[in-house]
Amino acid sequence: MPGLDLNRNDSPPKPCLIHQKTYKTDTTSFKPTIKRDMNERLKALLITALCTAIIFLRHPGQFLHPQFWVEGSYIYLFSSTENLLINLYGYLCLVQKIIVLLLCPLTPAEFHPAVCVAATVLLLALTIYYFQRTPSRLPFFGLFALGLVLSPLYGSEVYAKMLYLMWTLPLAVFLLLFRDDQAIKYRTAIFDAFWIILAGLSGPIILVLLPALLYVTALKRSKYYFAMSAVALLCGAVQVVYLSYQPQSAVSETRSSAMLLDAFFTFFTNYPPQYMLPGWIADYQIGMLCFGVLLILVFSLDKTRRIEASVLGVVLMSTAIPPILKLFPNAEQLLNPVISGSSRYFFYPFLAITFFLLLVALKGKPWGRIAAVVILVISFANNLPGFQTSSFNGRWADHVRMARSKNCNARIPIPSAGVEGASWTLESDRENTAICSDQDISRWIGGEHGSVNGKMRFSTTSDNMIFASQRAVKVHDKSFVSFAAVVEFSKPTNIQMGINFFNKRNELIKSASSPLYHSILVTFSADIPKETAYLWPFFQLTSPGDVDVSKPSIVMF
């Protein structure tokens, strides 16, 4: 073509290499990000450490002398590969069984409770740390993390006990309700699903939190929440199947924590409510007043924060479902996890109220902030007498060492109330006919008694009769005593089991006893006063009846 020079090169000439500019990557912009991430990690670690320290203060006995509590001893005793999926009183408790199967074989038996307590506390600490490091819609999440362990739960019995992982692991589901689903990464979602599975397989509490999770899913309509709800529904279905094996007759008929008005009242005042009020005031009336105060505080929040408050309201309302289910035939067996007068059943209602007040204190209008802080302070002060759980030392390690050295069957006391007295019993070797005992106390004195089918039968037609060991048990440099026996009675009989402590002058310095309510292998444990010279185990019948006692034993450490 005319005018077109095919050899012409219109591109600009390349500069000489020695004159070519070199471009350095500006790394200074990454430094604030790295520093900020390190600060966030450090802050999360410090808050997690503080939460762990608070757990220690609330239940120091579990750290100083670890032991199994109540049904936790059954989990320990019956955990095996063949029993992994067997229900325990309608509960699956799979996570707890796995802890026993994986960790206990690695240590001697005297350290098994310590291993399980360490695993329990570690799981709760990991939950607190993980949710601080992942996106949340809650402001200043570290304060809410502290609220998890400072909530005014009277007795704080859910902390540091392996059995009650069924209460603490579902905290993951509770905290998932406030996820910032727009900032969630794929890896975080996988971990969240894992935490839901852990919570769902530890116990049935996920059923109480499931309505709130479904509510949030309906509000957000995000893929993340749909996925989490699907996982939670699957775990909930598994728990329903296991709860269906719970015999209906075994379900507690005591006052339910699901009564929201009781929850409001006890949060503001103390636990239990029936001992706090004069007869002419009902606890539900005070509960209505407390509920009204919380309802007013909702109006101190903006519209966005009211949505978070509504989520907490659904958590509260979900605890009211069980009484509604009682209206339906054959549904009562599903109520087992949430019907009780025990303080631990107020755990999630109290957390919901605590989180709501913290939300108002941080993001409410000035008048709402002041009111929320005042309520939190008053609530904490009123519940301070129950801030710490008592924990009587049953001397697990001493019992195990004695059984090993003497090749006998040790009867280890398993606490249920955390105080000295009658308790559950775990046998170290049920097949061993030799029972660990420091002295033969098979002979008894007092009233009418004789042998029936190889058992000592105590009978009385009076209202008060004491049967004591024929021989006093001498005490020398001992601080703990455990008295055990198989006690059987077929008709209502008021019976006390106990020990009298005497000094060298034959003066009674201490008398400790506990009532027995049903036939069982029972252990009575107590601390021995320093000036004790000898002690006398006894049974006391305070109403006419017959009681059979067999295989009594007594050990001291």
Side-chain angles (χ1 to χ4, degrees), residues 209-401:
L209 298 174
L210 191 55
L213 184 57
L214 295 176
Y215 172 73
V216 175
T217 303
L219 288 177
K220 297 295 183 179
R221 296 182 178 275
S222 64
K223 293 181 179 180
Y224 168 79
Y225 273 113
F226 278 121
M228 296 304 108
S229 294
V231 176
L233 283 169
L234 181 61
C235 292
V238 172
Q239 288 296 340
V240 169
V241 171
Y242 273 83
L243 284 171
S244 65
Y245 289 99
Q246 171 68 13
Q248 186 169 340
S249 59
V251 177
S252 172
E253 291 293 340
T254 56
R255 187 171 55 83
S256 173
S257 69
M259 299 170 65
L260 287 180
L261 299 181
D262 274 356
F264 292 133
F265 173 77
T266 53
F267 182 91
F268 279 75
T269 55
N270 205 329
Y271 175 88
Q274 60 264 39
Y275 303 128
M276 295 289 297
L277 299 173
W280 56 274
I281 300 179
D283 57 352
Y284 67 84
Q285 293 173 329
I286 305 297
M288 284 289 291
L289 178 62
C290 298
F291 173 72
V293 171
L294 295 178
L295 199 60
I296 292 173
L297 289 179
V298 173
F299 295 98
S300 73
L301 297 171
D302 58 32
K303 292 182 179 180
T304 303
R305 298 301 177 182
R306 287 178 191 176
I307 294 177
E308 313 300 347
S310 70
V311 174
L312 294 167
V314 174
V315 174
L316 279 169
M317 291 304 299
S318 65
T319 62
I321 291 176
I324 297 174
L325 287 177
K326 292 191 73 172
L327 301 175
F328 299 93
N330 301 321
E332 194 173 3
Q333 61 188 2
L334 296 176
L335 311 184
N336 194 18
V338 283
I339 289 194
S340 174
S342 301
S343 61
R344 63 181 176 273
Y345 293 90
F346 287 78
F347 185 46
Y348 283 99
F350 278 12
L351 281 183
I353 299 174
T354 300
F355 272 44
F356 170 71
L357 291 173
L358 284 173
L359 186 64
V360 174
L362 292 170
K363 293 297 180 180
K365 296 178 181 178
W367 62 268
R369 294 184 179 187
I370 296 173
V373 171
V374 170
I375 293 173
L376 284 170
V377 172
I378 292 176
S379 173
F380 184 80
N382 285 336
N383 285 275
L384 198 58
F387 181 78
Q388 192 174 90
T389 295
S390 58
S391 180
F392 178 74
N393 186 3
R395 310 290 280 269
W396 169 281
D398 291 324
H399 282 281
V400 171
R401 293 189 187 104

Side-chain angles (χ1 to χ4, degrees), residues 100-287:
V100 173
L101 285 175
L102 293 182
L103 300 182
C104 286
L106 303 177
T107 59
E110 52 263 48
F111 300 114
H112 287 176
V115 168
C116 293
V117 169
T120 300
V121 175
L122 179 61
L123 280 173
L124 179 55
L126 286 175
T127 303
I128 293 173
Y129 177 79
Y130 173 72
F131 279 91
Q132 288 181 85
R133 295 288 299 139
T134 47
S136 173
R137 302 193 308 274
L138 295 174
F140 306 102
F141 188 78
L143 290 177
F144 290 89
L146 290 172
L148 295 176
V149 294
L150 284 174
S151 179
L153 180 69
Y154 191 89
S156 57
E157 60 181 344
V158 301
Y159 303 110
K161 295 177 183 176
M162 182 182 67
L163 172 68
Y164 295 148
L165 279 173
M166 69 171 65
W167 291 93
T168 54
L169 281 179
L171 284 173
V173 182
F174 179 74
L175 296 175
L176 281 175
L177 300 175
F178 307 100
R179 271 280 190 238
D180 183 359
D181 54 319
Q182 301 300 319
I184 290 294
K185 296 180 180 179
Y186 183 74
R187 182 179 61 181
T188 304
I190 293 177
F191 275 107
D192 287 352
F194 172 74
W195 281 110
I196 292 177
I197 293 172
L198 279 183
L201 298 182
S202 66
I205 308 303
I206 192 172
L207 295 173
V208 179
L209 298 174
L210 191 55
L213 184 57
L214 295 176
Y215 172 73
V216 175
T217 303
L219 288 177
K220 297 295 183 179
R221 296 182 178 275
S222 64
K223 293 181 179 180
Y224 168 79
Y225 273 113
F226 278 121
M228 296 304 108
S229 294
V231 176
L233 283 169
L234 181 61
C235 292
V238 172
Q239 288 296 340
V240 169
V241 171
Y242 273 83
L243 284 171
S244 65
Y245 289 99
Q246 171 68 13
Q248 186 169 340
S249 59
V251 177
S252 172
E253 291 293 340
T254 56
R255 187 171 55 83
S256 173
S257 69
M259 299 170 65
L260 287 180
L261 299 181
D262 274 356
F264 292 133
F265 173 77
T266 53
F267 182 91
F268 279 75
T269 55
N270 205 329
Y271 175 88
Q274 60 264 39
Y275 303 128
M276 295 289 297
L277 299 173
W280 56 274
I281 300 179
D283 57 352
Y284 67 84
Q285 293 173 329
I286 305 297

Side-chain angles (χ1 to χ4, degrees), residues 75-116:
I75 294 176
Y76 169 76
L77 185 62
F78 296 110
S79 288
S80 61
T81 52
E82 56 268 20
N83 291 335
L84 199 59
L85 299 180
I86 300 299
N87 77 86
L88 178 67
Y89 294 103
Y91 295 164
L92 176 56
C93 298
L94 184 61
V95 175
Q96 295 91 321
K97 294 175 186 175
I98 292 175
I99 288 175
V100 173
L101 285 175
L102 293 182
L103 300 182
C104 286
L106 303 177
T107 59
E110 52 263 48
F111 300 114
H112 287 176
V115 168
C116 293

